[in-house]
Amino acid sequence: MRMGVLDIGSNTGHLLIVDAFRGGPPVPAHSFKEPLRLAEHLDTEQRVSDEGIARLVKYAVSATDEAAEKGCDTVLAFATSAVRDAVNADAVIAAVNEATHLDLQVLPGEDEARLTFLAVRRWFGWSSGRLGVFDIGGGSLELAAGTDEQPEVVSSLPLGAGRLTRERLDQGVSVPDLRLAVRREIGQAAGPLLRGGAFDRAVATSKTFRSLARMCGAAPSTEGPYVRRTLERRQLTRLVDDLATCSTEEIAAMPGVSTDRAHQMRAGAVVAEATMDLFGVEELEICPWALREGVLIEYLDHL
């Protein structure tokens, strides 16, 4: 079947259309995305503004039309941190569903971590042994570890690159102070993930990690999904220091950085470096599959 996954993230709305069939991986057929920056449309009471809702609804209608034009039979729609944290989340979801006739669902952070882990397991397979999976989103950091298809332990922390930029760096918090605050929070979550033993394979997903790997010399996306890409901690530590003195314009000019995410890369690098250090990981392997693929895989498994 041809089906779509509509991912309403804190930064971006992304419709991924795939051709799915029994016995094989979902094959990407089309992608339609737009920067929404929903997290920046949250007011002081954590309410998505009318402008933010209107922007989201407009994109969701366009994405639904796009899916129909491309011959989709089914569209799975979900929202993550920005909508999940909004006090008017129900109103946001109702507005989207009424305009599109979708069934937009809000994913809890733990489900984000679980489904991302599932996608990583399917990509790398059983030979990977005990997996540690890390995902930096716009609003949260997801962590998961385990030896099976379902992780033994998951954690979702409010350490997304966009959130930390908006709530900390833009408010005058220095990079060194942000680094210490991030380390305290990750440190509290590290124990349960490490209790099962060291990771046989440590993996990162998400646009933030992919951009950081590219900034540190990994192959560009144009070389395809099967090229091995890694992020080394020693290179990342140097990058954190470099980014602290760079302007947003200079960051945007670096390889792998999109203009709409450049302002978040300092915070993203701080979270990535702290995660690697506290979990004792010298190298992360970048997985091209993440949450959207996990949602698809679970749906197809249920069928």
Side-chain angles (χ1 to χ4, degrees):
M1 68 174 72
R2 173 161 286 197
M3 59 186 299
V5 179
L6 180 59
D7 176 359
I8 304 300
S10 298
N11 292 315
T12 306
H14 189 167
L15 171 69
L16 174 65
I17 296 174
V18 302
D19 291 320
F21 55 96
R22 187 188 301 267
V27 179
H30 183 65
S31 177
F32 174 66
K33 57 186 175 181
E34 183 175 312
L36 298 175
R37 293 193 175 183
L38 278 183
E40 297 177 18
H41 288 280
L42 291 172
D43 61 22
T44 55
E45 297 178 347
Q46 289 296 101
R47 183 181 301 273
V48 180
S49 66
D50 291 343
E51 179 186 351
I53 294 175
R55 189 170 182 177
L56 170 57
V57 169
K58 181 180 178 182
Y59 167 74
V61 169
S62 297
T64 305
D65 292 343
E66 190 84 4
E69 284 287 330
K70 297 299 180 182
C72 280
D73 179 67
T74 304
V75 176
L76 308 174
F78 65 88
T80 56
S81 176
V83 176
R84 183 170 66 231
D85 294 343
V87 298
N88 61 336
D90 290 344
V92 174
I93 294 166
V96 171
N97 288 344
E98 182 178 355
T100 62
H101 304 294
L102 292 170
D103 182 22
L104 179 65
Q105 300 286 326
V106 173
L107 278 183
E110 290 74 14
D111 280 353
E112 281 193 60
R114 177 181 63 81
L115 290 165
T116 301
F117 183 93
L118 172 62
V120 172
R121 172 62 74 192
R122 289 289 177 93
W123 181 268
F124 286 114
W126 296 112
S127 64
S128 297
R130 180 172 170 78
L131 280 174
V133 177
F134 308 95
D135 186 314
I136 301 172
S140 57
L141 165 68
E142 270 67 55
L143 312 168
T147 56
D148 299 322
E149 284 213 326
Q150 297 298 323
E152 297 161 7
V153 59
V154 298
S155 183
S156 180
L157 305 175
L159 298 176
R163 183 195 297 268
L164 293 178
T165 299
R166 185 177 67 256
E167 297 180 0
R168 305 289 184 90
L169 294 181
D170 288 351
Q171 304 306 314
V173 175
S174 68
V175 170
D177 286 345
L178 175 66
R179 181 174 177 273
L180 292 177
V182 165
R183 283 172 170 260
R184 281 194 297 270
E185 191 138 4
I186 294 174
Q188 298 305 308
L193 274 83
L194 292 171
R195 197 166 294 133
F199 306 133
D200 296 309
R201 193 169 212 151
V203 179
T205 71
S206 78
K207 177 64 174 176
T208 296
F209 270 119
R210 289 198 302 272
S211 295
L212 290 171
R214 180 74 183 98
M215 294 162 80
C216 289
S221 58
T222 53
E223 293 190 16
Y226 300 112
V227 174
R228 187 174 186 268
R229 296 173 175 87
T230 62
L231 175 62
E232 294 184 11
R233 179 152 65 98
R234 59 183 178 81
Q235 294 177 318
L236 179 59
T237 299
R238 289 197 296 267
L239 181 63
V240 171
D241 293 337
D242 292 342
L243 292 179
T245 59
C246 287
S247 68
T248 299
E249 291 73 22
E250 289 172 328
I251 296 173
M254 294 181 179
V257 181
S258 58
T259 302
D260 61 298
R261 289 178 183 261
H263 66 297
Q264 301 180 7
M265 293 311 300
R266 293 184 195 88
V270 167
V271 174
E273 193 271 337
T275 301
M276 294 182 75
D277 186 24
L278 292 174
F279 283 93
V281 174
E282 294 299 325
E283 179 183 88
L284 283 170
E285 191 159 1
I286 307 300
C287 180
W289 279 7
L291 177 58
R292 285 182 291 274
E293 288 78 11
V295 170
L296 273 169
I297 290 167
E298 183 168 76
Y299 177 81
L300 294 169
D301 284 353
H302 286 168
L303 290 181

